[in-house]
Amino acid sequence: MSLDKDLWCPSASIENLRLRAELLKQVRNFFDECGVLEVQTPVLGRAGSTDAYLNSMTSHCSGGGVSEPLDLYLQTSPEFHMKRLLAAGSGAIWQLAISFRNGEYSERHNPEFAMLEWYQPGYDLNDLMAEVQSLISEVLEVDNFSCQSYRSLFRAHLDVDPFSSELSELQALSHTKTGITADDLDRDGCCDLLMSACIEPLLGRDEITFVIDYPASQAALAKVKQDYEGDLVAARFECYYRGIELANGYHELTDAEEQAKRFAADNEQRRELGLPEVAADQHLVNALASGIPECAGVALGFDRLLMLKAGADRLSDVISFSIDRA
Amino acid sequence: MANYSTNEFKSGLKVMLEGDPCSILENEYVKPGKGQAFNRVKLRNLNTGRVWERTFKSGESLEGADVMEYDMEYLYTDGEFWHFMSTDGSFEQHAADEKAVGETVKWLKEQETYAVTLFNGSPISVTPPNFIVLEVTETDPGLKGDTAQGGSKPATLTTGAMVRVPLFVNIGDNLKIDTRTGDYVSRA
């Protein structure tokens, strides 16, 4: 990136930075009134996210009092540390966590961003969606909400079924809709593409839209259950407003053995894709094994929420210094 | 040529797509919170001038295209080809065919400098300067003293181009023309 003379200037207006401070105050009040404890957890960890489609940045810690040099991952979300607090009996917790995702840079992404994440023991997905709804309606002053299943969206907008349509049909549709060479895309790849290219832009135009019942293969760290058509789905929701993905919530996986299996499966997928393996978080597996309360948790893009509140078009409009100026 | 990954795509990069050299116009990174990332790319096909929209898996590569743009002076036409000479001191000459010259043919004037795009060493497009001065060879007689606005008439220029000009313009006048719009700007 060239060093332009004007790049010393913030990418956000001072007005938007004031709005940012206000939003933070509003969020803090919201959780205070709900009796949710604010916590801070480390940004650096020995283990990283194994998810094949999340790229962690790394850092190095050595010298001084550190006798054994450490390679540390910058968190892609504060999930692992927060779940360890839950297992230790913290009760409901929230934090605004600076998180890092390598390479994620666009009008809606910045490799370093603020994630608003919280966990509620005893909640199921519906309880948590109601809470997300009340926070968002307070911040954005919107009252309309809707909830649709992943399957119904594909049926309504694309006339295919993400679970039962032939892979070749999904590939052909991906090709016609976007011009991609789809022969080597798997079912999830096709669905990811069709979702982001054809469905997302239409979501939450005048209302906040929750999408539920994702295919089980996209469960990540959520529990898996059967939907009313007998297919396995993830107990997970995503929340959209004005075509922007705002939040991703789970009825959290609490089974240590299943968690270890998913870490291993992620690394297996990384090997197949020729990506470096990532150290799985044994501490998390041990924490789950020691017993973690049944809970639901959600990660909400704080910068994106602010972007919508400010009526801004780009994430950089609400971040003091986006990565090109950092 | 080197291969370029979607990570390296940026406006102006020249790549090969379906056998044609293309110039990247826009590259949008699309990534759901969970799941695969894609790049939505707009490219201009340099052979046809058409704009293509294509989606690539993030990290996928395309072969680079050997496309370079040079300033060249227009020399002459032999009826089949239009001949240009590099202005960089090499005096290297290139012959552009009808397809490469395209619409620019009506703005070709000897000793004027043009941007000539070479693909694998051969011209594929010729871009005129934004403004060019050309002489009027044919138009209705000028109305003396009528320099007020209102009213225009067709005029033919030395290159054969037809433009709308004000009523006061005469045969033999030199006119400044905006080649992007084909509009008369002023008398030169």
Side-chain angles (χ1 to χ4, degrees):
Chain A
M1 285 166 206
S2 65
L3 268 187
D4 194 300
K5 232 181 159 184
D6 293 329
L7 285 184
W8 70 265
C9 297
S11 48
S13 65
I14 301 298
E15 192 192 342
N16 279 349
L17 295 180
R18 278 209 186 93
L19 200 61
R20 193 177 177 99
E22 260 171 49
L23 177 59
L24 184 55
K25 213 180 280 177
Q26 200 175 10
V27 165
R28 204 159 256 143
N29 277 337
F30 179 87
F31 287 112
D32 205 30
E33 278 167 21
C34 301
V36 181
L37 178 71
E38 181 172 2
V39 295
Q40 286 179 323
T41 55
V43 166
L44 296 169
R46 284 178 178 76
S49 169
T50 51
D51 190 317
Y53 299 117
L54 289 181
N55 294 318
S56 299
M57 290 192 234
T58 53
S59 182
H60 189 70
C61 180
S62 64
V66 181
S67 50
E68 302 255 352
L70 284 171
D71 283 318
L72 297 167
Y73 294 95
L74 278 74
Q75 66 184 0
T76 57
S77 89
E79 183 155 6
F80 297 171
H81 283 121
M82 289 181 86
K83 283 184 172 169
R84 285 161 64 187
L85 289 180
L86 290 162
S90 66
I93 48 176
W94 78 278
Q95 75 172 314
L96 186 69
I98 299 301
S99 304
F100 302 84
R101 294 183 178 184
N102 206 3
E104 298 198 4
Y105 185 40
S106 79
E107 290 194 346
R108 292 181 190 175
H109 297 87
N110 195 61
E112 174 180 346
F113 63 102
M115 185 90 107
L116 177 61
E117 186 145 329
W118 77 96
Y119 293 85
Q120 286 280 12
Y123 272 37
D124 66 13
L125 220 47
N126 288 326
D127 301 329
L128 188 60
M129 281 195 280
E131 197 161 76
V132 169
Q133 183 174 329
S134 77
L135 173 66
I136 294 178
S137 42
E138 194 182 308
V139 171
L140 298 179
E141 293 163 21
V142 204
D143 293 321
N144 301 333
F145 286 80
S146 70
C147 184
Q148 286 173 290
S149 75
Y150 191 79
R151 189 202 300 263
S152 70
L153 288 170
F154 275 75
R155 282 185 181 161
H157 295 290
L158 297 166
D159 206 20
V160 290
D161 187 302
F163 296 84
S164 60
S165 288
E166 292 293 330
L167 176 59
S168 57
E169 191 186 346
L170 296 174
Q171 287 172 333
L173 188 62
S174 301
H175 176 72
T176 10
K177 291 288 182 189
T178 71
I180 199 168
T181 313
D183 320 355
D184 57 344
L185 275 186
D186 60 11
R187 183 172 291 271
D188 282 332
C190 291
C191 290
D192 284 343
L193 177 60
L194 292 168
M195 184 74 183
S196 43
C198 308
I199 300 175
E200 275 184 13
L202 308 171
L203 290 180
R205 284 220 165 138
D206 311 303
E207 59 191 6
I208 291 175
T209 302
F210 287 95
V211 181
I212 55 166
D213 293 349
Y214 281 75
S217 51
Q218 300 178 28
L221 303 177
K223 282 187 197 296
V224 166
K225 57 175 190 180
Q226 259 186 0
D227 74 352
Y228 60 96
E229 297 195 21
D231 284 305
L232 284 180
V233 295
R236 166 185 165 197
F237 69 80
E238 293 256 1
C239 173
Y240 290 89
Y241 186 52
R242 301 215 165 125
I244 294 175
E245 181 195 354
L246 260 184
N248 178 28
Y250 299 145
H251 195 199
E252 301 292 346
L253 183 65
T254 47
D255 180 334
E257 221 171 290
E258 173 65 17
Q259 180 67 66
K261 268 188 210 156
R262 290 199 194 170
F263 279 153
D266 281 351
N267 269 325
E268 176 61 37
Q269 190 187 6
R270 285 183 157 268
R271 278 191 295 276
E272 279 166 18
L273 292 169
L275 296 168
E277 285 180 48
V278 171
D281 194 347
Q282 198 52 46
H283 288 317
L284 176 65
V285 175
N286 292 340
L288 298 187
S290 84
I292 181 171
E294 290 295 319
C295 61
V298 59
L300 186 152
F302 183 82
D303 308 305
R304 289 188 182 175
L305 182 63
L306 177 59
M307 187 173 127
L308 288 166
K309 188 180 169 72
D313 298 324
R314 292 177 304 263
L315 212 62
S316 57
D317 291 342
V318 297
I319 294 176
S320 60
F321 297 97
S322 50
I323 192 93
D324 54 326
R325 293 160 193 258
Chain B
M1 288 298 287
N3 280 327
Y4 296 96
S5 144
T6 55
N7 307 334
E8 300 167 281
F9 284 8
K10 57 181 175 188
S11 170
L13 182 73
K14 310 291 194 296
V15 291
M16 294 299 295
L17 185 61
E18 295 168 26
D20 281 335
C22 296
S23 176
I24 289 177
L25 302 174
E26 282 171 35
N27 175 26
E28 188 195 354
Y29 175 80
V30 187
K31 168 85 166 78
K34 295 285 164 203
Q36 231 168 303
F38 299 94
N39 290 65
R40 246 183 272 169
V41 183
K42 273 193 189 156
L43 317 93
R44 183 183 304 283
N45 181 324
L46 295 174
N47 269 336
T48 63
R50 280 219 192 87
V51 173
W52 279 349
E53 286 190 41
R54 289 285 188 281
T55 301
F56 299 95
K57 289 183 282 291
S58 218
E60 208 175 320
S61 311
L62 288 178
E63 190 192 341
D66 177 14
V67 172
M68 300 289 276
E69 199 178 276
Y70 295 97
D71 281 345
M72 293 192 199
E73 191 181 300
Y74 172 58
L75 300 175
Y76 65 96
T77 176
D78 58 20
E80 190 182 355
F81 290 100
W82 286 260
H83 297 268
F84 293 83
M85 183 177 70
S86 292
T87 56
D88 59 5
S90 67
F91 304 108
E92 206 176 294
Q93 290 194 23
H94 290 275
D97 63 11
E98 198 179 342
K99 190 164 158 254
V101 170
E103 290 279 288
T104 304
V105 71
K106 65 181 182 206
W107 308 123
L108 284 182
K109 179 183 161 189
E110 284 166 25
Q111 290 168 354
E112 187 67 54
T113 302
Y114 296 79
V116 177
T117 306
L118 301 185
F119 171 52
N120 291 336
S122 306
I124 50 165
S125 75
V126 177
T127 310
N130 291 343
F131 298 100
I132 192 165
V133 173
L134 294 168
E135 192 187 322
V136 178
T137 55
E138 247 186 86
T139 191
D140 289 341
L143 296 172
K144 206 168 179 168
D146 184 4
T147 53
Q149 64 273 70
S152 68
K153 59 179 180 178
T156 309
L157 309 176
T158 41
T159 57
M162 294 266 283
V163 291
R164 300 291 305 180
V165 300
L167 299 175
F168 57 77
V169 167
N170 280 307
I171 293 174
D173 283 352
N174 279 312
L175 306 183
K176 182 176 175 185
I177 308 293
D178 187 329
T179 60
R180 294 162 296 185
T181 57
D183 289 343
Y184 162 90
V185 180
S186 64
R187 273 193 287 199

